[in-house]
Amino acid sequence: MEARDILIRPLITERTTDLMTEGKYVFVVDKRANKIQIGAAVAEIFNVKVENVNTVNVKGKVKRRGRVVGKTASYKKAIVKLAAGESIEFFTA
């Protein structure tokens, strides 16, 4: 897998923007990627030094609209901590 295939998109919420002040950035990643591959992909794409990677498998929720029952997609989330003094310019706008 290439680096651009591993990182799907950044996950930007109120909580993740608070984590950015601590040097932690959150991405939706490929379900098959492991922590080593995720850290290498972030380091390669954004030219930063990755200190730590934590991953979470988020299960989809069941949603209803009247009688119709559906389900949101499941995904894998990675919380990437960068070395002190490092930041990703993509998020700081």
Side-chain angles (χ1 to χ4, degrees):
M1 250 188 294
E2 291 192 24
R4 300 250 177 221
D5 296 332
I6 293 172
L7 298 180
I8 297 172
R9 65 183 170 89
L11 189 62
I12 300 175
T13 63
E14 191 172 338
R15 182 175 181 207
T16 60
T17 41
D18 288 342
L19 286 175
M20 288 181 206
T21 59
E22 300 173 22
K24 296 180 181 179
Y25 296 88
V26 183
F27 297 94
V28 175
V29 296
D30 189 287
K31 288 184 180 182
R32 299 167 294 176
N34 61 30
K35 292 181 180 185
I36 296 166
Q37 293 171 330
I38 294 167
V42 171
E44 179 183 329
I45 293 171
F46 298 108
N47 296 322
V48 292
K49 186 170 188 257
V50 176
E51 194 173 285
N52 190 13
V53 177
N54 293 319
T55 59
V56 180
N57 284 312
V58 181
K59 295 190 182 205
K61 295 181 181 178
V62 175
K63 298 287 187 175
R64 290 183 54 138
R65 302 234 338 137
R67 288 188 291 176
V68 179
V69 178
K71 189 176 178 201
T72 60
S74 299
Y75 61 94
K76 188 172 190 176
K77 176 170 65 171
I79 303 165
V80 180
K81 182 170 192 219
L82 303 182
E86 298 274 350
S87 68
I88 296 176
E89 298 304 320
F90 180 78
F91 292 100
T92 56

